[in-house]
Amino acid sequence: MKVPFRRPRNPPERPFASSGEKGRSLLRLRSAAGQVFVLQVVLVLLLVAAAVTAQVVQAQRDGASRAREKSVAVAQAFAHAPGVAEAMQGPSPSTVLQPRAEAARKDAGVDFIVLMNRQGIRYTQPDPSLIGKKFVGTIEPSLRGRTTVETVTGPLTGGDTNVVQAVVPVRASDGTIVGMSSAGLAIRNVTGMINQQLPIILGAGAAALVAVTAGTALVSRRLLRQTHGLGPAEMTRMYEHHDAVLHAVREGVLILDSDGRLVLANDEARRLLDLPAGAERRHVSELGLDDAVAQLLASGEAANDEVLLSGDRLLAVNIRPTSPHGGEPGSVVTLRDTTELSAVSGRAQLARERLKLLYESGVRIGTTLDVARTARELATVAVPGFADLAAIDLLDEVIRGQEPTPQVQRWVRRVAVSDETAEQPLYEVGEAIMFQPGSPQARALDAEHAVLERDLHRADAWGRHDPDRARRTLEYGVHSLITVPLRARGVTLGIAHFWRRGDSPAFDDDDVSFSEELAARAAVAIDNARRYTREHAMAVTLQRSLLPRGLPEQAALEAAWRYVPAEAGVGGDWFDVIPLSGARVALVVGDVVGHGLHAAATMGRLRTAVHNFSALDLSPDELLAHLDELVVRIDDEDSRAGLASGRQYEEVAGATCLYAIYDPVTGSCTLARAGHHCPAVVYPDGTVSYVDVPASPPLGLGGHPFETMEVHLPAGALLVLYTDGLIESRDRDIDTGLDILRAVLEETAGSSPEETARAVADTVMPAHPSDDVALLVARTRRLDPAQVAEWHVEPDPAAVAPVRAECAAKLDEWGMEEIAHTTELILSELITNAIRYGRPPIRVRLLHDDDSLICEVADASGTSPHLRRASTTDEGGRGLFLVAQFAQRWGTRYTPGGKVIWTEQHLGGGASARPAEQLSADGLLDQFDDGGW
C-alpha cells in the first residue's frame, strides 16, 4: 500500500515550473492537462487503426475471391488434362502424376495440386510424406460430380494460414468418376494490395497524430499553468485516503525514510507495537521494539510475511521500498496480528509435511519393477515422516507375479519391515501369516478399507491374534495402529501396517485418509511390478525353452557355454552344437536384432531351421543362404499378417549367424558368417588370432551370396564363438572389447573350455549387459588314424566281396565282431548300389569312436537314393529298407565331387538297431507285406 506523506496545511507557493517539467507534467494522467493530451492522441490512433482495419478486411475479401477462382480453374484444368484419368487407373498413379502435378503447381502459382482416388487417398502432394494418406477436406459432393470449394486451415505456417481449396471430379472417357483433383491457394498470397496501400494510410495517420499532438500540447500547457497539475476533487480524495489510513485501516502501516527513521505511523501500528508518543522522526532502534523487529525494520530490505514475536503478539511483517514507485527514498511497512492463527499454523505445517511426503512417495516408490523392493520403498517412505514402524505383507501370488485369486482365508507373506533389528517384535521378512478373523488386519482385508486402532492397549481383537507377540509389541512402546489394504485396479494385493510408539501421538481420522492415499499410490507401483514380473517370467520361460538345455554327446569337441540375457528383457541370441555325419560337428552362434517376445520367437524359428538344414548336411554357405530366405519369408508373412489385421507390424530388423563345421578326421574347420563377428582361435602354443572369415551381409537382406573359408585346427585348439553383447557395451567400443577378449584368452591358454568360458564371462562380459550374451568355447579333438580305414573300390560287382572281407577283418581288429555281420550286409548294399547306379571313383571308409561305427560309401554321382516300399511285383528296392533296419541313422551328404552315403551304428546297440544274424532270410522277407522281393 502506497501512502502519501502528510503535507503542511498551508503549503508555500511553488514557483512556475520550467518548460521541461511542464512537458513531463503533460504525461501525468492525474492532471486534467495530461488527460486531455492522452485523449486526443488516443482518438487519432483509433481513427488510423480503423482505416487500416477496413483496408485489410477489404483486401482479405478480394484475396479470398481471387483464391477461389484460381483454385477452381487450376483444379478443373488439371482434372481435364490429357492422360490424368488414364494414369489414375494405371498401376502406379503416384509415379506418373507426382512430377506432372508439381510442374503444374509451380506454373500455376498455387500452393498445392492433389490427385486422389475415390476414397480420398492422395496420389500426389507437394510433401511426399503425405502421399498415400487421406485427403483433408470435403469430397462427397465431388464424388457425385459437383465442384466443392471450401476454406481450410493449411500447414504452411504451423496451421494458422487460411487456404481456399477446390475439389473437382476426374472422369474417365466413359464419364465415370475415377478420382478427384484438388488445388489450393493461401489467401495471403493474393492479398498484396494491402502492402501498397498501408504505407499511405499510416503516413496520413502519423501526420494527423503529429498535428493533433502539437495543438493539444499548446492547450494542455496553458491548462497546466492554471491548475498546477491538480484539481479540487483529487486533492479532496487524497486527504480522505490519508485520514482513512491513519485512523480507519485495521492493519498497521509504517513509513520509514532511507535512514530508518519513522515518518508516519497509523493508529493500528501504534497499538500493535506499543509506540511511545512523539515517535515520528525517531530511529526504529529508539522506539523500544523487540530486537528482531527493530533489526528487520532498520535493514530496509524487502520482506514477505515475516512472522516475528512482538510482546505477546505474532506479527506478519511485509516491507516494500518506495523508490521504485516514485516516492521518496524509504520503505512502507505493513503489520498484521496473526496471534489467533497460531493454532492453525501447526495444522498447516502438518498439511505441508503430508503433501511433501506424498510427493516423495511418488518419486521414491516404484523406482524399479521389483515387487519386494517396491514394498520396501513404501516402508522406508512412511517412516519416520508418518509412522514409527511400518510393515508390508503381500499375497504369495503377487510376489510370484500372478493374478490374486479370491480366498476365504488368505495367507500373506511379510516382504518389508522398516525396522529389522532384533529387538523389534514384528514378524520377520519372509514369514507367512494368516490373520485371525476379527483382527484389524482381517477386517481391513474383508472391508477393503483402512482400519484404525487408536489405543492398542484396549484393542482386544488385535491382541487375541497372537497374544505373546502382542504383549512384546506393547512392551516395545507401540500404542497405535493403522492397517490399510493395498488395492490396485480393483484387486487386493496385500496389506500395509503403520504403528506409532513412544511419545508419538496416536493416529486419528486424518491419518487414516492419508494412509489410504499413500497405500493407493504404492499399490499401483506394486501392481505394475507384479505385472512386469509375470510378463518377464513368461518371456524368460519362452526364451529358455527355445535355447538348448545342454550340449549333445559327441567325440569331435569338448565344449562349454555361457548365456546371459540382457537386463532390459529377453533377446534373440542363440548357440548350438549339432552332431553331423562322419563324426563331424557343427557349431552355431546367432543373434536376432532387437529384444522382446518377437525377437525370442524369431530366434526359436531360426534355431529350429538351422537344425533342419544341418540334418541335410549342407555346407555353411548353403545353409546360410537357406536361412536368409527363411528370414525374408518370415518378415514378409508377418508384414502381410499385420496389414491384414490392421495392427502395427514390428519389422524384423535382421539377424546374424556364424556357422562352422569341424571334421575330427582331417582337423579342417569350414566357416561362413552372415553379419557376425569372426571367431577367435587359441592354438596349443598359446597364440590367439581371429579367423578372418569373409564378411557377408546379415540375414534378411536377400539375394546376397555367402562365402566360406577352411582353416586347419590342430588337436587341443580352442574355437571361441560369441555374440556382440560380449564385446560391445555402452561404455566401450567393439575394438576395445576384442582386445580385452584376446588378452583373457592369452592368459587362460591351456585351460579347459569350462575354465576359459568362466574367465571370459567374469572378465569380458559387461557387469550390466544391455544385450544378450552367448558364448561357446570348443576344444578340438582328432580321431586317431588307427580309428579310420579306407578302401578304393573298382566299379565291378566282383570287387564287393574282397572289400567286404577286408572290412570284416578291420572290424575284428577293432574288436567289433558282434556287429561285423550287420556291417557286411550294410556295406554290400551300399557298395552294390554305388557300382550299379553311381560313378567312379568309389571309396569306402570306416571310422569309429567310443560310441559308434560309421560306414561311408562315396562315388562321383549326384543322384541320391530314396527309401521306398517295394510292391509285390518289384524284384528289388528293399536294400535301403534293410539298411535303415540295421543302422541307427543313415543319410546322404553331397560333396564337390559327388555324394557320400553313410550309416551310423551304436556300438552298444540301440532301439532301432538289430543285428543281422538275429534274422534269417525268411525273417528279413517277413518285414514286408508283399511276401517276397
Side-chain angles (χ1 to χ4, degrees):
M1 179 186 299
K2 182 177 180 182
V3 180
F5 292 112
R6 184 190 299 271
R7 296 191 179 186
R9 295 188 180 273
N10 297 314
E13 293 185 1
R14 294 181 297 174
F16 286 102
S18 63
S19 61
E21 293 178 351
K22 293 178 179 179
R24 289 191 295 271
S25 299
L26 293 177
L27 299 178
R28 295 181 182 176
L29 297 180
R30 294 181 181 178
S31 65
Q35 293 177 2
V36 172
F37 179 80
V38 173
L39 179 60
Q40 294 292 335
V41 174
V42 170
L43 288 176
V44 174
L45 289 176
L46 290 177
L47 290 175
V48 173
V52 174
T53 302
Q55 185 63 29
V56 170
V57 170
Q58 184 61 34
Q60 288 180 344
R61 291 179 179 177
D62 294 342
S65 177
R66 294 173 58 189
R68 177 187 181 95
E69 295 173 358
K70 192 168 185 178
S71 299
V72 171
V74 173
Q76 290 180 344
F78 203 83
H80 300 125
V84 171
E86 292 76 6
M88 293 180 70
Q89 301 179 68
S92 180
S94 292
T95 304
V96 177
L97 295 176
Q98 175 71 0
R100 294 182 57 184
E102 283 302 290
R105 179 183 67 83
K106 295 176 181 179
D107 293 341
V110 294
D111 292 312
F112 65 83
I113 296 179
V114 175
L115 291 177
M116 68 201 86
N117 60 14
R118 291 181 58 87
Q119 290 74 35
I121 303 303
R122 298 184 180 98
Y123 291 147
T124 68
Q125 174 70 24
D127 184 359
S129 63
L130 298 178
I131 294 177
K133 297 183 179 180
K134 191 171 182 61
F135 176 75
V136 179
T138 304
I139 63 174
E140 288 76 8
S142 299
L143 292 174
R144 296 191 294 269
R146 296 168 54 190
T147 298
T148 305
V149 182
E150 58 183 344
T151 302
V152 298
T153 300
L156 301 178
T157 59
D160 60 355
T161 299
N162 289 330
V163 178
V164 176
Q165 65 181 17
V167 181
V168 177
V170 179
R171 299 180 182 273
S173 58
D174 57 356
T176 59
I177 298 175
V178 298
M180 289 160 285
S181 170
S182 176
L185 181 62
I187 297 176
R188 72 174 187 182
N189 292 337
V190 292
T191 57
M193 183 183 301
I194 190 62
N195 296 328
Q196 301 175 0
Q197 298 176 353
L198 190 58
I200 299 175
I201 298 174
L202 293 178
L209 178 62
V210 171
V212 173
T213 302
T216 304
L218 294 176
V219 175
S220 299
R221 183 175 181 182
R222 183 175 181 83
L223 182 61
L224 180 65
R225 184 182 299 126
Q226 295 175 351
T227 62
H228 298 285
L230 293 174
E234 184 179 2
M235 292 293 294
T236 301
R237 286 196 302 271
M238 181 183 68
Y239 281 106
E240 289 175 352
H241 293 167
H242 181 267
D243 292 339
V245 170
L246 287 177
H247 307 297
V249 173
R250 304 312 298 169
E251 184 173 295
V253 178
L254 300 175
I255 297 180
L256 306 175
D257 62 13
S258 59
D259 297 328
R261 296 183 181 275
L262 180 62
V263 176
L264 180 108
N266 68 350
D267 295 345
E268 183 68 10
R270 293 176 184 276
R271 184 183 69 85
L272 294 176
L273 296 177
D274 294 329
L275 295 178
E280 285 82 357
R281 310 311 302 173
R282 295 172 60 182
H283 197 275
V284 292
S285 60
E286 303 172 357
L287 301 178
L289 304 177
D290 290 299
D291 294 339
V293 177
Q295 184 178 0
L296 178 62
L297 297 179
S299 67
E301 298 178 354
N304 293 319
D305 287 332
E306 291 285 345
V307 180
L308 301 176
L309 182 64
S310 178
D312 58 350
R313 296 185 180 92
L314 287 175
L315 301 180
V317 182
N318 288 274
I319 302 177
R320 294 290 184 273
T322 59
S323 298
H325 305 284
E328 297 293 335
S331 57
V332 176
V333 181
T334 60
L335 307 171
R336 294 196 313 274
D337 189 356
T338 61
T339 305
E340 297 178 356
L341 300 177
S342 59
V344 182
S345 62
R347 295 186 178 180
Q349 179 66 21
L350 179 61
R352 286 194 295 268
E353 292 176 355
R354 293 290 170 83
L355 288 175
K356 181 180 179 181
L357 189 59
L358 286 178
Y359 171 77
E360 291 180 355
S361 68
V363 175
R364 296 169 55 186
I365 298 177
T367 58
T368 65
L369 290 174
D370 182 80
V371 174
R373 181 169 178 178
T374 304
R376 289 194 296 270
E377 291 170 346
L378 170 59
T380 303
V381 168
V383 177
F386 176 65
D388 298 315
L389 287 175
I392 312 300
D393 303 332
L394 297 178
L395 300 175
D396 282 340
E397 298 95 326
V398 176
I399 299 175
R400 295 192 300 267
Q402 300 174 359
E403 192 75 21
T405 56
Q407 300 177 5
V408 178
Q409 293 183 334
R410 304 186 216 185
W411 284 92
V412 294
R413 190 172 302 276
R414 183 139 297 177
V415 295
V417 176
S418 61
D419 184 3
E420 298 188 20
T421 59
E423 294 78 10
Q424 62 90 9
L426 306 179
Y427 289 102
E428 297 181 356
V429 174
E431 193 169 352
I433 310 168
M434 177 183 287
F435 294 104
Q436 297 298 326
S439 64
Q441 296 86 349
R443 284 187 286 135
L445 288 174
D446 295 337
E448 298 180 352
H449 61 73
V451 173
L452 168 64
E453 292 290 350
R454 286 185 172 86
D455 189 357
L456 291 179
H457 294 85
R458 301 179 180 178
D460 297 335
W462 170 77
R464 287 195 300 268
H465 170 68
D466 190 340
D468 180 64
R469 191 177 299 275
R471 177 184 56 79
R472 290 187 287 114
T473 301
L474 294 176
E475 292 175 354
Y476 192 64
V478 175
H479 59 79
S480 188
L481 165 67
I482 291 181
T483 300
V484 191
L486 298 172
R487 290 180 55 79
R489 302 178 179 91
V491 177
T492 300
L493 307 175
I495 191 169
H497 315 274
F498 304 108
W499 290 274
R500 283 184 179 172
R501 60 186 292 262
D503 298 334
S504 299
F507 289 116
D508 55 21
D509 294 335
D510 293 338
D511 295 322
V512 172
S513 300
F514 176 79
S515 66
E516 289 178 337
E517 177 66 21
L518 182 63
R521 297 191 179 199
V524 173
I526 292 174
D527 191 54
N528 290 337
R530 177 192 66 82
R531 290 167 178 263
Y532 171 79
T533 300
R534 180 186 61 188
E535 299 297 333
H536 184 71
M538 293 173 56
V540 170
T541 302
L542 172 62
Q543 185 187 39
R544 289 178 178 175
S545 67
L546 297 175
L547 289 170
R549 304 294 178 88
L551 300 181
E553 294 291 336
Q554 41 79 35
L557 297 169
E558 176 188 358
W561 58 275
R562 290 291 186 276
Y563 186 89
V564 178
E567 291 187 348
V570 298
D573 292 17
W574 89 93
F575 66 93
D576 256 317
V577 177
I578 306 173
L580 301 177
S581 63
R584 300 170 306 139
V585 65
L587 302 175
V588 190
V589 171
D591 180 7
V592 176
V593 178
H595 293 87
L597 292 176
H598 185 75
T602 303
M603 174 269 291
R605 299 174 70 177
L606 295 183
R607 179 171 176 259
T608 302
V610 170
H611 272 269
N612 294 335
F613 292 147
S614 298
L616 301 177
D617 265 322
L618 300 178
S619 62
D621 56 335
E622 293 181 38
L623 185 141
L624 292 181
H626 287 293
L627 206 61
D628 180 58
E629 294 177 359
L630 176 61
V631 173
V632 173
R633 187 164 60 252
I634 291 175
D635 192 18
D636 291 341
E637 291 174 355
D638 291 347
S639 177
R640 289 193 297 269
L643 293 176
S645 61
R647 59 179 174 85
Q648 186 176 2
Y649 163 62
E650 182 180 357
E651 184 178 356
V652 176
T656 65
C657 183
L658 173 65
Y659 189 82
I661 298 177
Y662 174 70
D663 190 345
V665 177
T666 62
S668 64
C669 183
T670 306
L671 307 97
R673 65 186 177 113
H676 208 81
H677 294 287
C678 296
V681 177
V682 183
Y683 291 94
D685 59 359
T687 59
V688 178
S689 65
Y690 291 101
V691 182
D692 190 13
V693 182
S696 298
L699 302 174
L701 298 182
H704 296 274
F706 297 93
E707 300 183 40
T708 63
M709 76 170 300
E710 184 174 335
V711 295
H712 182 80
L713 299 179
L718 284 179
L719 185 62
V720 182
L721 290 76
Y722 50 88
T723 57
D724 56 358
L726 176 68
I727 59 175
E728 186 179 6
S729 64
R730 295 187 181 97
D731 53 356
R732 73 183 182 198
D733 57 18
I734 296 177
D735 294 335
T736 303
L738 291 175
D739 294 338
I740 297 175
L741 177 60
R742 180 192 295 271
V744 173
L745 293 178
E746 290 175 348
E747 292 175 0
T748 59
S751 302
S752 66
E754 180 62 32
E755 293 171 346
T756 302
R758 185 185 306 113
V760 171
D762 295 341
T763 306
V764 185
M765 190 178 300
H768 303 283
S770 59
D771 192 8
D772 293 2
V773 177
L775 172 66
L776 184 61
V777 181
R779 168 168 287 169
T780 60
R781 296 171 178 165
R782 294 288 296 275
L783 291 183
D784 191 291
Q787 296 177 278
V788 182
E790 188 172 357
W791 295 272
H792 177 74
V793 181
E794 295 295 332
D796 184 357
V800 175
V803 173
R804 185 173 59 192
E806 292 181 15
C807 292
K810 178 59 69 174
L811 293 177
D812 292 340
E813 179 183 339
W814 288 344
M816 302 178 184
E817 298 87 353
E818 68 277 3
I819 62 171
H821 184 63
T822 303
T823 305
E824 289 184 46
L825 181 61
I826 292 174
L827 287 175
S828 296
E829 176 62 27
L830 296 183
I831 295 174
T832 301
N833 284 343
I835 294 175
R836 181 177 300 174
Y837 305 109
R839 292 185 301 182
I842 301 173
R843 294 179 297 104
V844 176
R845 186 173 73 163
L846 296 180
L847 59 143
H848 75 91
D849 54 22
D850 296 337
D851 301 321
S852 60
L853 172 68
I854 300 171
C855 305
E856 297 181 347
V857 176
D859 66 81
S861 173
T863 58
S864 174
H866 296 280
L867 180 64
R868 63 183 180 88
R869 192 176 192 85
S871 63
T872 306
T873 58
D874 290 339
E875 297 182 0
R878 298 172 176 84
L880 285 181
F881 186 85
L882 294 178
V883 171
Q885 290 286 304
F886 299 142
Q888 268 72 23
R889 297 194 305 152
W890 75 279
T892 305
R893 73 171 181 267
Y894 294 94
T895 64
K899 69 175 183 297
V900 176
I901 310 298
W902 58 270
T903 63
E904 181 177 327
Q905 301 166 262
H906 292 174
L907 297 181
S912 60
R914 180 180 302 178
E917 57 269 15
Q918 296 180 6
L919 295 175
S920 62
D922 294 337
L924 293 176
L925 294 178
D926 289 340
Q927 300 293 323
F928 304 91
D929 296 334
D930 52 23
W933 294 87

